[in-house]
Amino acid sequence: MIKINLSIVIASYNGHHIIQKLLKSVLLNEYIPKEIIIVCFKDQYNKYIFNCKKYNKKINIKILKSNIKNQITQRQIGLNKSTMDYVLQLDDDIIIGKNTLKLIYNELIKNHYKIIFSANLKTVDGNIADLRWRKIYNKYRLFRYLLFFLNSFKKVKPYSIISSGKPIPGLNSQIISYEWLNSSLCFHKSALKDYEFFQNNGKAFYEDVYTSHIFYKKGYKLKKIINADIYHPKTQKMDLLIFYKSIINQYKIVLKFKKNILLFLFDIIFFILIFVVKR
């Protein structure tokens, strides 16, 4: 194993039972970080200590307490306590591919100024995380017209944020540039001065979109490391309830980045109708 100048920062709540999968996947890599920082809610601290202790001989694991049960607050604590030159932030249910940390680190040390990277997010069965969106977009012409309208009749680009405030994932493999990245952001620690935390309570829908787009607006280049795979459990298909919970955060994106409020309202109406029809 080669220990690298990298901090992995993990904000976790009720993840003490799954965090071992992430730690095991780290140990399957040739390159391992010099420190892993896990920030948990204070009431769960002992559970994390117990479930992580057997990995401490091979990995330097720091478990920190947060008095506030909030993913973004916990992430901020971890990032501020990181001591390495490079940082990789992850959710607690991620599994890291066997060669991923080496690929990430090599990119970081070559291009560590004004570039924000992310790993390539896949589901545990190896499919790209954007697969459902991509299939719908390519199958239904009416859906493509709808997005075209919600983008002020402008071409819809992969990994952009359209005029209604909706983040568009990878619609195809021909991606020239990124305006946002998924939550596995990795960067030189100097970028923390420009890191803006999303103000949110509960599940942080669109946190990754908000944070990475802030970097984009501040002149950073965003880049996904395509062959650096990380794996996420299959997520529940977005239903009306999940969509409702995401609306407030989409509205925050509309306000922050001066998107079109009228198109945002149309966005809500159209997608509610889509969910109703699907039922």
Side-chain angles (χ1 to χ4, degrees), residues 1-92:
M1 291 182 183
I2 301 170
K3 292 189 177 181
I4 53 177
N5 186 11
L6 177 72
S7 301
I8 293 182
V9 175
I10 305 160
S12 182
Y13 177 72
N14 270 343
H16 50 86
H17 58 295
I18 59 172
I19 199 75
Q20 294 187 59
K21 290 184 179 180
L22 193 161
L23 298 176
K24 286 179 182 177
S25 72
V26 170
L27 288 174
L28 290 174
N29 275 256
E30 177 188 1
Y31 284 32
I32 62 171
K34 287 187 177 179
E35 68 177 9
I36 295 179
I37 299 173
I38 301 169
V39 186
C40 63
F41 184 52
K42 61 182 180 180
D43 290 354
Q44 300 176 343
Y45 178 76
N46 289 335
K47 293 178 180 178
Y48 282 89
I49 290 290
F50 178 79
N51 284 337
C52 295
K53 63 181 180 181
K54 68 179 181 181
Y55 299 96
N56 269 321
K57 292 180 180 178
K58 294 183 177 179
I59 317 173
N60 176 26
I61 302 174
K62 300 175 182 177
I63 302 176
L64 307 179
K65 298 179 186 178
S66 171
N67 293 325
I68 300 173
K69 184 173 57 179
N70 179 284
Q71 182 184 45
I72 295 169
T73 300
Q74 291 170 228
R75 198 185 311 282
Q76 187 172 9
I77 291 170
L79 290 172
N80 288 337
K81 292 292 185 180
S82 61
T83 61
M84 299 295 110
D85 289 336
Y86 304 100
V87 179
L88 166 62
Q89 64 177 52
L90 292 175
D91 294 332
D92 58 10

Side-chain angles (χ1 to χ4, degrees), residues 162-185:
I162 59 176
S163 300
S164 67
K166 184 175 293 301
I168 304 299
L171 302 175
N172 52 56
S173 57
Q174 305 300 316
I175 301 171
I176 299 173
S177 63
Y178 294 85
E179 294 183 11
W180 64 273
L181 296 169
N182 66 49
S183 58
S184 63
L185 302 183

Side-chain angles (χ1 to χ4, degrees), residues 157-272:
K157 298 178 182 179
Y159 283 97
S160 66
I161 302 176
I162 59 176
S163 300
S164 67
K166 184 175 293 301
I168 304 299
L171 302 175
N172 52 56
S173 57
Q174 305 300 316
I175 301 171
I176 299 173
S177 63
Y178 294 85
E179 294 183 11
W180 64 273
L181 296 169
N182 66 49
S183 58
S184 63
L185 302 183
C186 33
F187 46 85
H188 187 266
K189 198 176 178 182
S190 61
L192 285 176
K193 69 181 185 304
D194 293 313
Y195 194 117
E196 188 169 322
F197 291 89
F198 195 24
Q199 299 304 310
N200 181 79
N201 294 317
K203 184 171 176 57
F205 289 101
Y206 299 144
E207 178 208 357
D208 48 358
V209 176
Y210 182 93
T211 302
S212 56
H213 196 62
I214 288 285
F215 280 122
Y216 174 79
K217 287 292 188 179
K218 290 182 177 181
Y220 287 80
K221 180 181 178 181
L222 307 185
K223 181 179 179 181
K224 181 184 286 189
I225 308 170
I226 299 298
N227 52 351
D229 295 332
I230 58 172
Y231 300 91
H232 189 280
K234 283 187 177 180
T235 55
Q236 179 183 349
K237 288 184 180 180
M238 182 172 278
D239 57 21
L240 195 55
L241 179 60
I242 296 173
F243 176 67
Y244 172 75
K245 291 179 179 178
S246 71
I247 286 173
I248 294 175
N249 285 0
Q250 185 176 337
Y251 182 60
K252 292 177 184 177
I253 288 173
V254 170
L255 293 181
K256 177 68 178 179
F257 301 115
K258 296 180 174 59
K259 299 295 182 176
N260 190 305
I261 293 179
L262 182 59
L263 288 176
F264 165 72
L265 295 174
F266 277 123
D267 188 305
I268 295 169
I269 294 168
F270 287 146
F271 277 87
I272 287 176

